[in-house]
């Protein structure tokens, strides 16, 4: 059902009307470089809208993951690390055009091309309802996200530069209301099952029923934010939302390195001839390691089996913080300041060190969701060989221990947006707030089952299940194997999965309310790895988990309740004034002001 991102052409509408004209009157002549709305290719306009939306999801997911410790956040001061240009690209791609992060580096945009589609549809006998329905769905979700991340957004005066050259921003409440109307319009168009007219649907190959489920799922996440439980439950009762893996809303990547590079961006960053370039979150890796999470070997690929300062000697050159005495607030909380054992080599929240020569040491992204390698303890691979004295020994083979071009699944991963497992966690959230702990436990179980099944469906085609590991016992005089340990033993079994889920659910059931929320939130954040946009909303709305690592800095400034206004818009729009802090709270964020909330900050 899903498609790889392929080479896609895009086109934009310029002002003016290009017609044949023989008059010499200058007022009647138009530049041949201008493209009229009714001359643009609707399929290319939809391509541009989809690519702009995809790129925005990449950016927003990354920023949300960094703030909630699902990914690593660089910097000891939140305000300094989140300047006004942080969301410049997201803003421009939503309202006009900006750079593409999902394929070729072309300019792409949402609103201007949606308006172009509506103009074409109004001036032709061809029905482009499919294009407009999909575009309005993506635009509506984008508006919700801008309101959530910034606290307000443009809508009523957006996309009308003649009348509103400097649009005022609408309140987040008004933006939410407008986005719900857009979803209603999109549903009305798509419910009629219009023809695709040759459109390249990069998500569902023209399946309008799937798009209706996306629309309802966007409503679910928005009702969850605003606390409209009655509306949330009404959609659940209707059953027409993303509830199975086959419904999942995700960006699907390919394996092409050039023309275009359609690999998962994290794979492209980590699987290079010069090693890995991304640092993974110590909090996430340690939490999964301590709980023996069966997803950990899919999420992360370790290049070494030990970490300086944890289960190996400190190393000032490769991991400088392994020699540092942690600050008092880390010691008081018992937090991991620098090193997670077993080669889970990452960084803690706020680490602002430079980049040492550790690109062939640090943990890289794995086979899920980035399309990398399955972690099969390659640093333990080897063979039993006879030495020069006639004795036998186990000799490690380090030829394929690290990352590199084309290794693993070649980047054929996904960027999750809405997965069925996410929705089960949302339902559990509602059950907890409603006092239905039994229902919450059942939904927590269901969410974990769906998450683990999906994660473990990702395959590393280069995984050698028959590789011999150094835990193998053998006769040193004959070389005869006594007990073999193969890489296949590292693949979690169904029993492993069940035992893990049972333990988590039992921990949830046995805990008090804070314990329940911590268990739930930890598992929700782990499940959101790779598509973490909603984690930022949850953390501001609920304040859990309280087990997150603090910033390296004791006083990093208040936790960002929203981001600054996009600086490019502020510079070019005289009606806007940039904020001086990150303390503005979205209307649905009714918690105490930072720094007293969230607790972990």
């Amino acid at each position: 059902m899903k498609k790889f991102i392929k080479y896609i052409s895009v086109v934009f509408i310029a002002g003016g009307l290009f017609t044949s004209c023989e008059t010499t009157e200058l007022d009647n002549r138009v530049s041949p470089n201008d493209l009229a709305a009714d001359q643009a290719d609707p399929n290319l306009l939809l391509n541009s809208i989809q690519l702009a939306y995809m790129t925005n999801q990449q950016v927003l997911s990354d920023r949300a993951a960094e703030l909630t410790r699902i990914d690593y956040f660089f910097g000891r001061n939140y305000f300094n690390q989140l300047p006004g240009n942080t969301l410049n690209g997201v803003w421009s791609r939503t309202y006009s055009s900006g750079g593409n992060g999902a394929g070729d580096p072309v300019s792409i945009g949402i609103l201007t091309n949606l308006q172009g589609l509506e103009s074409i549809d109004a001036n032709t006998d061809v029905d482009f309802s499919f294009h407009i329905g999909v575009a309005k769905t993506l635009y509506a979700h984008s508006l919700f996200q801008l309101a959530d991340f910034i606290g307000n957004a443009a809508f009523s005066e957006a996309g009308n530069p003649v009348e509103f050259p400097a649009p005022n921003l609408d309140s987040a409440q008004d933006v939410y209301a407008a986005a719900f109307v857009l979803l209603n319009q999109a549903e009305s168009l798509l419910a009629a099952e219009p023809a695709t007219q040759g459109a390249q649907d990069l998500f569902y190959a023209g399946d309008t029923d799937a798009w209706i489920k996306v629309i309802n799922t966007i409503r679910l996440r928005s009702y969850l934010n605003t606390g409209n439980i009655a509306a949330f439950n009404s959609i659940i009762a209707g059953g027409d939302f993303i509830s199975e893996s086959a419904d999942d809303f995700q960006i699907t990547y390919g394996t092409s390195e050039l023309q275009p590079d359609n690999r998962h961006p994290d794979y492209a960053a980590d699987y290079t001839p010069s090693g890995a370039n991304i640092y993974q979150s110590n909090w996430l890796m340690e939490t999964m390691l301590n709980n023996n999470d069966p997803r950990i070997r899919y999420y992360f690929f370790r290049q070494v089996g030990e970490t300086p300062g944890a289960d190996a000697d400190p190393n000032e050159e490769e991991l400088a913080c392994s020699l540092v005495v942690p600050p008092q607030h880390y010691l008081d909380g018992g937090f991991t300041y620098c090193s997670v054992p077993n080669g889970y080599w990452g960084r803690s929240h706020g680490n602002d060190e430079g980049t040492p020569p550790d690109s062939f040491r640090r943990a890289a992204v794995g086979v899920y969701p980035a399309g990398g390698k399955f972690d099969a303890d390659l640093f333990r691979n080897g063979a039993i060989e006879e030495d020069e004295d006639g004795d036998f020994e186990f000799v490690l083979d380090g030829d394929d221990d690290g990352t590199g071009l084309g290794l693993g699944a070649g980047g054929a991963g996904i960027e999750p947006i809405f997965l069925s497992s996410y929705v089960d966690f949302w339902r559990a959230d509602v059950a907890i707030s409603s006092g239905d702990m039994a229902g919450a436990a059942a939904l927590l179980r269901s969410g974990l089952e769906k998450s683990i099944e999906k994660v473990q469906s990702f395959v590393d085609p280069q995984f050698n299940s028959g590789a011999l590991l150094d835990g193998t016992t053998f006769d040193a005089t004959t070389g005869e194997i006594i007990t073999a340990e193969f890489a296949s033993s590292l693949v979690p079994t169904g029993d492993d999965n069940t035992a893990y889920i049972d333990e988590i659910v039992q921990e949830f059931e046995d805990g008090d309310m804070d314990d329940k929320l911590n268990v739930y939130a930890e598992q929700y954040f782990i499940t959101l790895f790779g598509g973490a946009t909603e984690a930022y909303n949850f953390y501001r709305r609920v304040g859990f988990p309280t087990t997150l690592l603090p910033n390296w800095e004791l006083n990093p400034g208040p936790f960002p309740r929203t981001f600054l206004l996009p600086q490019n818009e502020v510079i070019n729009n005289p009606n806007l004034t940039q904020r001086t802090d990150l303390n503005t709270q979205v209307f649905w964020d009714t918690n105490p002001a930072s720094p007293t909330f969230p607790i972990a900050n």
Side-chain angles (χ1 to χ4, degrees), residues 192-205:
E193 299 183 352
T196 63
Q197 308 296 354
Q200 188 176 11
D201 178 354
L202 301 177
F203 295 98
Y204 292 112

Side-chain angles (χ1 to χ4, degrees), residues 320-498:
C321 61
S322 63
L323 286 166
V324 175
V325 176
Q328 194 61 45
H329 66 292
Y330 259 74
L331 293 174
D332 291 343
F335 299 116
T336 294
Y337 179 71
C338 182
S339 306
V340 178
N342 296 357
Y344 288 100
W345 188 317
R347 285 191 168 182
S348 295
H349 191 65
N351 183 325
D352 62 346
E353 294 178 320
T355 304
D358 64 350
S359 57
F360 291 106
R361 297 287 187 269
R362 68 180 77 167
V365 290
V367 68
Y368 177 90
K373 297 173 75 170
F374 173 78
D375 186 351
D377 288 6
L378 293 183
F379 44 82
R380 297 175 54 210
N381 278 3
I384 300 170
E385 298 180 3
E386 187 176 6
D387 62 23
E388 59 184 13
D389 296 326
D391 294 327
F392 288 86
E393 60 181 349
F394 191 90
V395 179
L396 293 174
D397 175 12
D399 291 343
D400 58 355
D401 293 355
T403 62
L405 286 173
L407 295 182
I414 65 168
E415 182 99 18
I417 302 173
F418 298 129
L419 305 184
S420 59
S421 56
Y422 297 4
V423 177
D424 280 352
F425 274 91
W426 301 347
R427 297 175 65 186
D429 186 344
V430 169
I432 292 171
S433 64
S434 302
D436 179 10
M437 297 307 161
L443 287 163
L444 173 61
R445 177 181 296 277
S446 176
L448 288 172
E449 289 172 345
K450 290 176 181 177
S451 173
I452 292 171
E453 181 180 7
K454 185 177 185 74
V455 168
Q456 294 180 353
S457 71
F458 279 66
V459 176
D460 175 357
Q462 298 173 357
F463 169 53
N464 179 9
S465 61
L468 201 63
L469 304 181
D470 61 5
T472 297
T473 60
F474 56 94
D475 188 316
T477 59
T478 66
E480 182 179 355
I481 292 177
I482 300 172
T483 304
E485 182 186 12
F486 295 108
S488 58
S489 66
L490 303 176
V491 178
T493 65
D495 288 342
D496 293 333
N497 297 337
T498 299

Side-chain angles (χ1 to χ4, degrees), residues 513-571:
M513 182 54 69
D514 281 359
D515 292 335
K516 290 181 190 297
L517 285 171
N518 272 323
V519 170
Y520 164 83
E522 287 178 356
Q523 293 305 311
Y524 181 38
F525 281 21
I526 292 169
T527 298
L528 288 171
F529 181 66
T533 304
E534 295 303 323
Y536 183 46
N537 294 336
F538 177 85
Y539 191 53
R540 291 176 293 166
R541 183 168 52 81
V542 181
F544 283 80
T546 60
T547 58
L548 297 179
L549 295 182
N551 194 289
W552 260 21
E553 178 64 38
L554 175 62
N555 296 305
F559 179 80
R561 304 300 274 270
T562 48
F563 287 61
L564 294 178
L565 298 173
Q567 189 63 25
N568 284 351
E569 183 67 19
V570 173
I571 292 172

